[in-house]
Amino acid sequence: MRRVHKKDDAPVRDASVLMLFGRGQAPRTLAGRREQDRLERLGVADVDVLLLQRSAKLRHHPNQVAFPGGGRDPEDADEIAAALREAEEETGLDPDGVEVVGTLDPLYIPVSSFEVTPVLAWWQNPSNVWVVDHGESSRVYRVPVADLVAPENRGTFTAPDRSYRTPAFDVGVLRVWGFTAALLEFALEEMGWARDWDRAAQIDIEL
């Protein structure tokens, strides 16, 4: 995943996102028998990931699909505590049901001056999730991994001014691009779940 490095004198705030995988959601995309067998062999036929769509009222990244997360508060013991607290505040999940696997290296986000630590976790005991604060989020979804890895749901988003390109996912109920899509692509590749897809295919995103 491409990294952006902050300037030495740039102010920065620590933040975390929760990359939470669990079981329970059936895919929307119809898979052929061979693909279904592959997903079952990998053990991910019913694996999903928790995502939300940010509110249109937010100053940074309005309407963008994201992992639950946010800035670290003084009372947070570490990046993991921050990610779990933010996820509970945004989606209502019970953090006691979450098993943290580990963290990835922090990534700098220039537009918001956050240095974000991705926290990888498994939903051992899933709980109900919903939009807790409509000022923060507009939708909360458990998105099936099978829908994310389907080649027909993958593509590239190119900014209107062509200043940047990112991976993108179109799973019908939402479209993922930018930082979150790059993290998803990295995770799917590292876990051996990804399939080949047409990198020339474009997915349009309404900004």
Side-chain angles (χ1 to χ4, degrees):
M1 188 168 60
R2 181 175 175 270
R3 293 176 179 273
V4 177
H5 298 284
K6 73 179 184 71
K7 297 178 180 178
D8 290 340
D9 58 347
V12 64
R13 185 183 175 195
D14 291 332
S16 304
V17 294
L18 185 66
M19 301 175 66
L20 181 58
F21 293 87
R23 290 191 185 278
Q25 297 300 302
R28 299 164 59 95
T29 302
L30 294 177
R33 183 68 257 173
R34 177 179 293 181
E35 175 61 7
Q36 185 66 26
D37 289 345
R38 186 187 82 93
L39 293 170
E40 290 177 357
R41 189 168 61 251
L42 291 171
V44 296
D46 63 344
V47 171
D48 54 54
V49 63
L50 183 64
L51 296 172
L52 57 81
Q53 185 163 24
R54 293 166 58 82
S55 170
K57 303 173 185 178
L58 294 175
R59 185 160 57 97
H60 294 303
H61 315 294
N63 285 324
Q64 195 166 345
V65 175
F67 294 106
R72 180 176 173 180
D73 286 350
E75 64 268 24
D76 294 324
D78 52 25
E79 292 79 10
I80 292 172
L84 291 173
R85 175 187 54 75
E86 285 281 347
E88 183 178 11
E89 291 176 359
E90 291 175 333
T91 73
L93 68 76
D94 181 0
D96 288 340
V98 175
E99 179 183 347
V100 174
V101 177
T103 61
L104 304 181
D105 290 339
L107 298 162
Y108 178 62
I109 312 298
V111 68
S112 54
S113 296
F114 277 119
E115 193 160 70
V116 181
T117 298
V119 177
L120 187 62
W122 178 253
W123 218 347
Q124 192 68 34
N125 295 301
S127 51
N128 291 332
V129 289
W130 64 92
V131 175
V132 175
D133 182 352
H134 286 272
E136 293 284 337
S137 309
S138 60
R139 296 186 290 179
V140 173
Y141 286 108
R142 293 178 64 177
V143 179
V145 166
D147 288 341
L148 293 169
V149 300
E152 62 268 31
N153 295 343
R154 301 205 55 183
T156 299
F157 167 66
T158 303
D161 61 1
R162 299 187 177 276
S163 59
Y164 60 90
R165 291 160 53 92
T166 79
F169 300 81
D170 182 355
V171 294
V173 295
L174 49 78
R175 294 182 178 184
V176 191
W177 63 282
F179 175 75
T180 303
L183 274 181
L184 273 175
E185 180 180 59
F186 175 80
L188 296 174
E189 292 283 352
E190 288 297 304
M191 294 177 183
W193 298 344
R195 292 179 59 193
D196 291 337
W197 54 282
D198 182 3
R199 295 177 183 271
Q202 293 291 310
I203 291 180
D204 295 327
I205 308 290
E206 185 176 347
L207 301 178

